[in-house]
Amino acid sequence: LIQAPTAMSSGGVDALPLPTDVLQFLSIVVFQLVVVIVFFILFLVVRSKWPELIALHRPDGPLATAKGMVGWLAQLRQVDDEALLEAGGADGVLYCWRASMHAELVAILVVTSMPLAIIFALASDANEGLARITLANALAPPVGVWRLWLTVLGVWVNTLLSVRAVDRFDIDIAEYAVRHLRTSPPLHHYAAVVTDLPKTATREVVRSFFTNMYGDDSIIGVHQLRKYSAPGAKKGDEGHATSSTADRADGSATDSATRKPSLLDRLTGKKVQNGSLRVAVDIYAAALKKLAAADAAALAEARKEASTGKKAKPGFMSGGKTKAEKAAEARVAAQEARAALSSAVATAPQYEPDGNGPGEALEGKVIPPRARAAVITFGSLMQAVVAITSPLLVSGAEGATPGRAWVLWPAPEARDIDWKLLENLRPARLRENSRLISIAIKTAMTVWWSVLVALLQAGIVAALTFAAQVPVPPLQTFLVIVSGIVPLAIQDFMLNFMAVILRVLNTQLGGYWSHSAIERAVQADYTNFLRAVAFFAAMLGSSLFSAIWEIGNEPTRIFFLLANSVPASSGVMMAYVFLRACTVAKNSLGVVPAIVSKVKLALLAKTPFARAEVVRPKPPTAGVKASWDGFVLLVALAYAPIAPLTAVVCALYFGAAALEARIDVVSMSAPIFDTAGALTTLAAQQALDAVSLAALIHFAIILLSGSSGTAWHAFAVLPLPIPILMARARMRQRHATGPHGAPRGRLPMVDAAAVDAARDAGHLKSLHAQLGGKLRAWAPPCAPGSGGGAEAASASTPPVGPPVPPPPPTGADDSAVDESALVELHEWLRRYESPDVTKYKNAQGGEDDAAAAIAAAAAAQGVEEDEVADDVDDEMTS
């Protein structure tokens, strides 16, 4: 049954209408195109009836309100960088830039590589099907030396063009990031997060340390973090709390509803009252949602009774209770949850004034334990930059052991922080241990996944070879089609599932405490995983199976067979890339989320708040998408000069990816952070890594193919690393000194000093008082508001909110359901989700022109414009 490496193309040709690999590829193409057409028809239907569900991020935006498909396409073409910046921030702009760069680069590869396809096809008649237009056909005896020389030339041209494109893109990222940072540095750029504090380091100790270093007026505020997830606490030494639940603020015993979560609770995610504020808020919010839904169901039941004259009977799954009885139970549960929340708020610290003093606001209170972290707000941007870019080591302060390091981080936006992770951040030594454990788990899973995918790819080749020998033509064709579609679908599911696992590992064991850092770690890990599993394991799996059966006949030709089988088996890789391209095209239409939202709105969401929750846009998964783009880019770079048709399929993928990026940023996903290009900077580095890996593959193939007497062609590829290493050195230097290198996402010191000179210090201090005090941006969403003082709106501030609303009157409709407590609670919990929260506003309420101040300061000092990009162009040209 198993024949030569080209058996996939030649075996059973008389019975099959097309060569096996061609039929398998066309089966994927036809099947996926049918699915895409179905999705497009659904998109037209959904958009005509519920256009707001197609654009959850901007339901009143131009894409949602455009008339007809032509109008929608016209609006999409008019999306520029300004619209992308408004909708998705700087990360959204650079996300679209990355997709466009990939599309342009692969389009160039198509132009430079397709002439090789003609040369390969005319080389010999040794291969059929897709292998006919690959390097494998040119390697068939007699080998044409000039064809190998043209292949080497194609490798050089593609590599040089790729290096230049990636280097130019990296320069554009750095320049845009600097321009963006210079526009108007936000308020969180004045803040830093210090971690790894000793247990005895109070807010006053931290303030004293930094004021001694930078001056008495250098610190606007120090916000001590508390462990709001810790079980009920009692007062310890110096206001420090322990994790005991025995005492409360009023001295009463622990509530009977408070207990430790069981294993079943942990597995199901059920929240159990443990006396902590965070859990109490979660339970109260869930109770209010359940109460609103129960009230709406009870009103519907009452209306049905009034219209039919029949008394309602308990439902099958209601435990023998009517909707009205269930609503009464939900009201009692909500009242109990509010009482538990009130008790938790009483044990939580109110807003600690940033004035000096021994923490009088906490005197005599029962408070959660201190976290080993604090947020420091500096009085000037220059001081913040100096502190963030300087290593900080504190030895012997307040009981700290010699050599203990206080780690200082640039403060991200408040919405970017995972407060629970930051509050419970483990010491540096334990974080390193967890990181090593995480690396071991990732490595083991990558090896295991590689074996599975390699076996799956070998199984595809074996199944296609076997199917080609079936004597019944209709069954033969059917088996070839199924063998080409089903295994690739299984492989795609396996690869996608790993992204979820990596996110969990980085969240739990990575030591990260911000969403952007976790997303960056997922992008790095998932890219390496796809390279190892989806590319190398898949390529080797299909290639080895194609070559292994010839080794027994001619063992001395093992290396030549391996080199021959890599381009010959490119059809499987092409089929998978086309599958991914259609997946991206389907995702860009947003049909599945829209239909799911419509079903939830029709069946589950019965109140205004519930309906608003259903249509809340989801955050983008930029790291995962960047990893898939990096994988397809590696496929294009590696296969373009040896299997040119692969580059065409990759170009289709990036065309769909560029379209999806613009639609996603403008109308579908709502970002939860803006790093000013940190993720895209990583993507540029990964793109250059892909160029390096592709060059290594080309060298190996040309070297191994030399067992036919042409090994000396590999020497022509030996200098290929030189331009790559030069570009890598430039990129390393650019990243080290760029906005995400030494400045750590902040302005350079000269620019920061110019901004400080242009901004009013008094107005800046009032903005920080609003941000850190009244808005409590440097406390988790569950933290209480400012209790007491002139800024306090009432004696009882969120998250407790108003009392549980009374039941709606009999005979009312759904609009009578009172959700005021629920709305007020969530307004407080989402108080700093908007990117406008940390924007600097001048006294007139507008943004200042920091870029103009920086340019004026530079002109006064006689500093010329930065010419780094021109220098790089000159260097690359020479």
Side-chain angles (χ1 to χ4, degrees), residues 672-873:
I672 57 175
F673 56 78
D674 189 356
T675 64
L679 295 179
T680 314
T681 301
L682 176 61
Q685 180 180 337
Q686 292 172 335
L688 190 59
D689 293 340
V691 177
S692 304
L693 292 174
L696 179 62
I697 293 170
H698 297 150
F699 173 77
I701 290 177
I702 294 175
L703 177 64
L704 294 179
S705 66
S707 32
S708 62
T710 55
W712 49 271
H713 284 90
F715 291 101
V717 191
L718 275 179
L720 202 59
I722 295 177
I724 299 176
L725 292 176
M726 292 175 62
R728 189 177 297 278
R730 290 192 299 270
M731 184 176 291
R732 187 182 301 112
Q733 175 66 19
R734 196 179 304 125
H735 290 179
T737 58
H740 299 291
R744 304 180 73 181
R746 300 296 189 257
L747 282 175
M749 295 181 185
V750 175
D751 294 349
V755 174
D756 287 334
R759 288 180 172 177
D760 180 73
H763 178 64
L764 179 67
K765 190 171 183 179
S766 66
L767 291 178
H768 281 296
Q770 174 78 10
L771 179 69
K774 186 175 181 181
L775 197 61
R776 297 219 65 186
W778 301 125
C782 65
S786 53
E791 292 182 348
S794 63
S796 177
T797 54
V800 177
V804 176
T810 304
D813 56 14
D814 292 345
S815 61
V817 177
D818 187 358
E819 296 181 294
S820 58
L822 188 60
V823 171
E824 182 174 345
L825 175 62
H826 280 80
E827 285 179 350
W828 175 254
L829 296 178
R830 297 165 181 166
R831 61 191 180 276
Y832 47 66
E833 284 190 357
S834 170
D836 296 332
V837 168
T838 59
K839 284 186 177 180
Y840 178 86
K841 302 291 184 180
N842 56 32
Q844 290 74 36
E847 294 186 13
D848 65 337
D849 191 357
I854 293 172
Q861 298 175 10
V863 179
E864 297 182 359
E865 291 294 326
D866 191 3
E867 298 179 352
V868 175
D870 294 335
D871 292 342
V872 171
D873 283 341

Side-chain angles (χ1 to χ4, degrees), residues 17 55 113 143 223 285 315 331 333 428 433 435 555 557 563 565 702 798 818 834:
S113 300
V143 179
H223 301 266
R331 178 158 284 97
N433 293 341
R435 188 182 69 84
R557 302 187 68 210
S565 59
I702 294 175
D818 187 358
S834 170

Side-chain angles (χ1 to χ4, degrees), residues 271-641:
K271 300 291 184 179
V272 178
Q273 293 285 5
N274 65 348
S276 70
L277 180 60
R278 180 172 280 111
V279 173
V281 169
D282 291 342
I283 292 178
Y284 182 52
L288 287 178
K289 292 179 183 178
K290 188 174 181 180
L291 173 60
D295 278 343
L299 289 175
E301 183 183 67
R303 287 199 302 272
K304 184 177 179 180
E305 289 180 350
S307 62
T308 60
K310 297 180 180 179
K311 185 174 180 59
K313 296 181 180 180
F316 177 73
M317 301 293 292
S318 62
K321 298 175 182 177
T322 63
K323 297 292 193 303
E325 293 171 339
K326 299 288 284 187
E329 286 185 354
R331 178 158 284 97
V332 172
Q335 291 169 347
E336 292 177 351
R338 186 178 187 277
L341 177 57
S342 300
S343 177
V345 169
T347 66
Q350 301 297 319
Y351 165 60
E352 304 179 40
D354 282 320
N356 299 313
E360 62 279 346
L362 303 180
E363 187 70 24
K365 292 187 67 63
V366 181
I367 59 176
R370 278 192 300 266
R372 296 188 178 186
V375 180
I376 306 155
T377 305
F378 291 88
S380 73
L381 198 60
M382 179 68 171
Q383 291 169 337
V385 171
V386 171
I388 289 169
T389 56
S390 302
L392 182 64
L393 183 68
V394 182
S395 298
E398 292 295 323
T401 57
R404 178 184 294 276
W406 292 13
V407 184
L408 207 63
W409 311 83
E413 299 171 275
R415 60 177 180 161
D416 187 11
I417 298 176
D418 189 316
W419 293 97
K420 187 176 181 180
L421 293 178
L422 181 56
E423 292 166 11
N424 298 283
L425 189 67
R426 291 182 288 269
R429 177 177 58 84
L430 297 181
R431 291 203 301 272
E432 181 63 19
N433 293 341
S434 298
R435 188 182 69 84
L436 294 176
I437 294 173
S438 175
I439 291 175
I441 296 175
K442 295 171 187 175
T443 303
M445 298 191 71
T446 300
V447 172
W448 174 243
W449 247 256
S450 298
V451 172
L452 292 179
V453 171
L455 293 176
L456 192 63
Q457 288 289 328
I460 294 175
V461 178
L464 291 174
T465 307
F466 170 77
Q469 309 300 323
V470 174
V472 182
L475 180 60
Q476 183 185 56
T477 304
F478 174 77
L479 289 177
V480 169
I481 293 174
V482 172
S483 300
I485 294 176
V486 175
L488 286 182
I490 297 174
Q491 173 183 320
D492 191 54
F493 172 79
M494 292 172 56
L495 296 177
N496 281 294
F497 186 66
M498 189 61 186
V500 180
I501 298 176
L502 290 175
R503 189 175 298 278
V504 173
L505 287 175
N506 283 303
T507 301
Q508 301 298 326
L509 300 176
Y512 306 106
W513 46 267
S514 67
H515 302 295
S516 57
I518 294 173
E519 195 70 30
R520 182 181 173 89
V522 170
Q523 178 177 332
D525 292 339
Y526 197 44
T527 299
N528 293 332
F529 171 81
L530 290 177
R531 287 172 182 169
V533 179
F535 183 78
F536 283 106
M539 179 180 67
L540 293 176
S542 57
S543 302
L544 284 174
F545 186 88
S546 299
I548 197 170
W549 302 106
E550 281 292 305
I551 294 175
N553 298 328
E554 299 179 85
T556 58
R557 302 187 68 210
I558 177 174
F559 297 114
F560 175 77
L561 292 174
L562 287 175
N564 182 74
S565 59
V566 171
S569 58
S570 61
V572 179
M573 191 69 74
M574 287 172 50
Y576 185 63
V577 172
F578 189 84
L579 183 149
R580 291 301 311 173
C582 292
T583 300
V584 170
K586 291 181 291 186
N587 292 340
S588 67
L589 299 177
V591 173
V592 174
I595 294 177
V596 171
S597 298
K598 186 58 184 177
V599 172
K600 289 182 177 179
L601 289 173
L603 302 180
L604 302 177
K606 301 299 182 182
T607 63
F609 181 84
R611 289 189 284 271
E613 288 295 286
V614 168
V615 297
R616 270 177 61 85
K618 303 296 187 294
T621 55
V624 174
K625 293 178 180 178
S627 298
W628 278 113
D629 290 357
F631 159 72
V632 178
L633 180 63
L634 177 58
V635 172
L637 292 169
Y639 279 94

